[in-house]
Amino acid sequence: MRQKKHFIAERALLIRRSKIRELFERASKIEGVISLGIGEPDFDTPRNIKEAAKRALDEGWTHYTPNAGIQELREAIVEYYSNFYNVDIEVDNVIITAGAYEGTYLAFETLLERGDEVIIPDPAFVSYAEDAKLAEANIVRLPLREENEFMPDPDEIVELITKRTRMIVINYPNNPTGAVLEKDVAKAIADIAKDYNIYILSDEPYEHFLYDDAKHYPMIKFAPENTILANSFSKTFAMTGWRLGFVVAPSEIIKAMIKLHAYVIGNVASFVQVAGVEALRSQESWKAVENMRKEYNERRKIVVKRLQKMPGISVREPKGAFYVFPNIKEIGMSSERFSEWLLENARVVVIPGTAFGERGEGYVRISYATSKEKLVEAMDRIEEALNKL
Ligand code: PLP
């Protein structure tokens, strides 16, 4: 085919490809690499959820559904917030989305005008900044510090607020740090949002992966009129490939989201939504979630204990999600250089902290969503490489 130069709109050219993907492509060319870079569960979707999807297909769930999602799934989500968190919402506060990715995208597109300011933590999950660019919003970075357990400082949030501030993004349990938000900090952020009339986009897909005495408080508990809560079945039920998530927000915002969603996604696959009802309402799936949580917890302990003994590395024990974010500053290499060095010298993939923002410099993200055997082998290799430095 002749090579024609195509015109691509600036909007699409603005989007930065994730550094994480680049590293994976390089790693795939090296033999015997262990990847601790992945951000998805290594578990299979619980059996009862898969069976429900198969049954739904056989029963003819092969057509369009209402744009906002099937009534039963929206009701199951209402029940879920009531049962788990004692929070009352209604069906018109819920839209079913293609994962939390779509949920956060809808929040940016629905709420932000060109030039509005959005406060995004640094480090933070990669998609928020790209969402902001697409919405032509201005990004204001909120530093997260290790000495604050990677929680935001409410006073610092207030200092960053201007007349143009429209939204603040938070994500706990956190990717990439594994941090969990303490109740008083969550409440302080809620109060700020109410006082200054700004929205909180709270991205909560890791809410069930909590360890030791950690607790999660959905933001809608403290600031229901100001919160857009993005959530997902991806991590909780090991369903990343199904593309099933949802947003909880004030009904006027949900209505606006439905209009956009109707022309981008139409609706999430009908049989997938039926399986989502099974996931939320069956004891079998919740047992599977608890088993996954226990397994993650054991892996977390192994990784933290091993890292704590390694020269040049210091690590705090993260209380949530499935990530560890060790400090590598003493080693004297940049995060990116260190990740490359580990790939070459230990054949282990970790993600440089800078993939999540400038403040990630001096850290790397290690995912323990991989088997214990592989984790132990990876820890052996990292230790051996570091001992030779
Ligand atoms: N938000 C966070 C913090 C994530 O870590 C991820 C996936 O890694 C997503 C959103 C997207 O998840 P989903 O599969 O629900 O679109």
Side-chain angles (χ1 to χ4, degrees), residues 39 98-101 125 128 171 175 203 205-206 232 234-235 240 243 323:
Y101 271 125
F125 178 55
Y128 314 133
N171 156 233
N175 175 7
D203 188 19
Y206 296 96
S232 174
S234 288
K235 320 281 169 169
T240 45
R243 311 309 307 131
Y323 305 107

Side-chain angles (χ1 to χ4, degrees), residues 178-323:
V180 173
L181 197 62
E182 278 168 16
K183 190 178 184 181
D184 57 344
V185 182
K187 274 186 164 169
I189 297 171
D191 288 342
I192 293 169
K194 287 186 265 186
D195 289 350
Y196 291 87
N197 196 22
I198 59 178
Y199 291 108
I200 304 168
L201 169 58
S202 186
D203 188 19
E204 307 183 8
Y206 296 96
E207 64 181 332
H208 289 287
F209 300 127
L210 298 165
Y211 315 107
D212 300 336
D213 51 357
K215 271 196 88 172
H216 175 72
Y217 302 92
M219 251 317 170
I220 47 171
K221 200 176 177 80
F222 303 131
E225 280 302 314
N226 295 67
T227 300
I228 292 84
L229 190 164
N231 207 337
S232 174
F233 290 65
S234 288
K235 320 281 169 169
T236 304
F237 300 106
M239 289 174 72
T240 45
W242 296 63
R243 311 309 307 131
L244 183 61
F246 57 92
V247 171
V248 179
S251 57
E252 201 183 332
I253 295 174
I254 293 292
K255 250 191 221 155
M257 286 181 168
I258 293 169
K259 284 200 276 182
L260 176 56
H261 167 86
Y263 289 123
V264 182
I265 306 289
N267 63 262
V268 175
S270 48
F271 57 95
V272 166
Q273 293 187 55
V274 175
V277 176
E278 169 73 16
L280 290 175
R281 286 192 174 152
S282 155
Q283 281 310 309
E284 201 177 325
S285 21
W286 287 111
K287 256 185 232 150
V289 175
E290 177 55 12
N291 287 339
M292 290 189 259
R293 192 195 67 83
K294 280 188 183 145
E295 175 68 23
Y296 285 138
N297 189 27
E298 286 172 18
R299 296 172 183 181
R300 176 185 73 112
K301 285 185 181 154
I302 293 170
V303 171
V304 170
K305 207 166 153 193
R306 290 292 304 273
L307 288 171
Q308 276 169 344
K309 290 190 186 132
M310 291 187 200
I313 292 189
S314 77
V315 61
R316 279 162 198 257
E317 207 173 54
K319 302 280 189 192
F322 39 64
Y323 305 107

